[in-house]
Amino acid sequence: MIVLIDGYNLLKQIFPGAKHNLDKQKRQFIQQLAFYKAKKSDAIKEIIVVFDAGPFSHAYREIKSGITVIYSGQKSCADKWIENYVAKHKQKHCLIVTLDRQLTQACEKYGTYSISVYDFYHLMQDALLDQAAPTPTSTNTTQDLTKYDSSDHDNYDLLELSTEQSKALDLLMEQASMNIPKDTEKPSKPKILTKDKHKRTKKKDKKKIITLKKLH
């Protein structure tokens, strides 16, 4: 699966306080994506983050920690770049991360699904939390609970963090200083479907569920 992320669309929602200065958040986000991609390497082949404009008039690409970063060029925008990519790679399994409904609808024409920036970001954070969780060095799970005695300190098994756990914990601690708003997007009104439309919608939802499971 290839994950295409509408870069500024995500950052401006996740870090609303940063406004026009998103450089620090951008660097941190790419680090988190690299960690997430490594953990989900079986399901995710590539992650492409697309930002508007950039240093040149034409589109520009760079690789950071295994993440493909695209700047659409000053004569284009991220939405258009993503839509063109999806149109050219219809045979590939792509997933769009955005809150832009127009972009979502444009990509659905090619059978490409989308996920909310909030949902994706929280999935990524959950992956970091899972990786950062320390594991006991002892395999004995039947120990009785006893009162802690400082004189017996050396007799207690300590929790050790691996290098990967430490990296995940560092990313989470850095993230803790920034506010992540709840998804305030108003839910859409339910549509009344005919029998044929209901069957097609059910089939599409099933495919989307399979796609989203790969992100967990």
Side-chain angles (χ1 to χ4, degrees), residues 184-198:
T184 55
E185 193 179 33
K186 294 181 180 179
S188 57
K189 294 181 179 179
K191 297 179 180 179
I192 300 175
L193 302 177
T194 64
K195 188 174 181 180
D196 289 339
K197 286 185 178 180
H198 177 73

Side-chain angles (χ1 to χ4, degrees), residues 63-172:
I63 307 296
K64 292 185 176 181
S65 302
I67 303 300
T68 302
V69 180
I70 299 288
Y71 291 93
S72 65
Q74 297 169 6
K75 296 182 179 180
S76 186
C77 64
D79 291 5
K80 196 64 181 175
W81 193 96
I82 292 172
E83 185 180 347
N84 288 340
Y85 182 93
V86 170
K88 292 178 182 178
H89 300 84
K90 290 181 287 188
Q91 75 281 8
K92 294 186 177 180
H93 185 190
C94 297
L95 178 71
I96 312 299
V97 179
T98 187
L99 276 182
D100 190 311
R101 292 184 179 179
Q102 188 173 351
L103 175 59
T104 297
Q105 292 170 356
C107 291
E108 280 181 349
K109 293 185 300 184
Y110 307 105
T112 301
Y113 302 112
S114 67
I115 182 175
S116 157
V117 296
Y118 298 106
D119 290 341
F120 177 81
Y121 196 82
H122 287 303
L123 282 172
M124 187 174 66
Q125 292 293 298
D126 287 344
L128 289 173
L129 284 168
D130 288 343
Q131 190 67 41
T135 54
T137 57
S138 173
T139 57
N140 183 5
T141 58
T142 60
Q143 291 180 339
D144 294 331
L145 294 176
T146 59
K147 183 178 179 181
Y148 177 77
D149 186 342
S150 59
S151 63
D152 292 331
H153 177 80
D154 292 336
N155 295 327
Y156 283 80
D157 291 315
L158 300 179
L159 298 178
E160 296 181 356
L161 293 178
S162 68
T163 302
E164 289 302 309
Q165 288 172 331
S166 296
K167 288 180 181 178
L169 186 59
D170 289 342
L171 288 170
L172 286 169

Side-chain angles (χ1 to χ4, degrees), residues 179-209:
N179 290 327
I180 302 176
K182 294 182 179 179
D183 189 348
T184 55
E185 193 179 33
K186 294 181 180 179
S188 57
K189 294 181 179 179
K191 297 179 180 179
I192 300 175
L193 302 177
T194 64
K195 188 174 181 180
D196 289 339
K197 286 185 178 180
H198 177 73
K199 287 182 179 179
R200 290 197 298 270
T201 302
K202 192 173 182 180
K203 187 176 181 180
K204 285 175 62 178
D205 288 344
K206 186 176 180 180
K207 289 182 179 178
K208 188 171 183 178
I209 289 170

